[in-house]
Amino acid sequence: MPKVQLYDKAGKDAGTIDLPDTVFGLKPHRGLLHEVLVAQLAGGRAGTHSARTRGEVAGSTRKIYRQKGTGRARHGSRKAPIFRGGGITFGPRPRHYAQDTPKKVRRLALRSALSAKAAAGQIVAVQSVALDAPKTRELVALVNRLPVAGKTLIVAPGADAALARAAANLSEVRIRSASGLTVYDVLAADYVVVAADAVPAIAEVWGR
């Protein structure tokens, strides 16, 4: 069972905490991580790109010059793709990029991501991440007391409006509840800060 260092809100050593093997003690499955990460990023694409074909651009359909006798190639419309302002051949059209990934695969990929972070020593536990007030400076002070750097993912036991509001202006800090974790959230973070009371929730949601 993996053990990680536990800190109090003042950043002082508070011992260690055991992480459940079912979530943090697996051998990471790199292929599965890649599959789920690509699917998640694809699902976030808007897919609203669009280019007009020659049938959609504005312009006359009148033949631009006579068929023969000019010495030039035969053309019927200024809306042809080879002309400036003409239509686009095989251009992008609105579409959905979402990929259907089985639920069991997504859950296993998340466990693999958390296990990889645990094996790399990039998970830190703190007794509590609750704030007295939704103030950015309080959250910054808490993060600065912990041995973390770079992009930081903070995992709370549940939805915390004050915590989310405090992190709204911090580009390097992301807040997620135990049940709202995604593979991208975990892999994009340099360090994962887990609240001690979030560990049972993580085991309950993702360890089954």
Side-chain angles (χ1 to χ4, degrees), residues 23 26 28-37 40 101-116 182-184 186-187 206:
V23 179
L26 305 181
H29 195 306
R30 295 174 61 91
L32 206 63
L33 285 171
H34 178 267
E35 177 185 345
V36 174
L37 180 61
Q40 184 180 345
T101 308
K103 183 177 180 180
K104 288 184 178 180
V105 173
R106 297 196 304 268
R107 294 170 65 87
L108 179 55
L110 181 64
R111 293 197 294 269
S112 290
L114 291 172
S115 297
T182 67
V183 171
Y184 175 79
V186 176
L187 295 183
W206 303 106

Side-chain angles (χ1 to χ4, degrees), residues 2-3 22 29 40 43 96 115 121 128 142 183 195-196 198 205:
K3 289 181 179 290
T22 54
H29 195 306
Q40 184 180 345
H96 294 291
S115 297
S128 175
L142 173 61
V183 171
V205 174

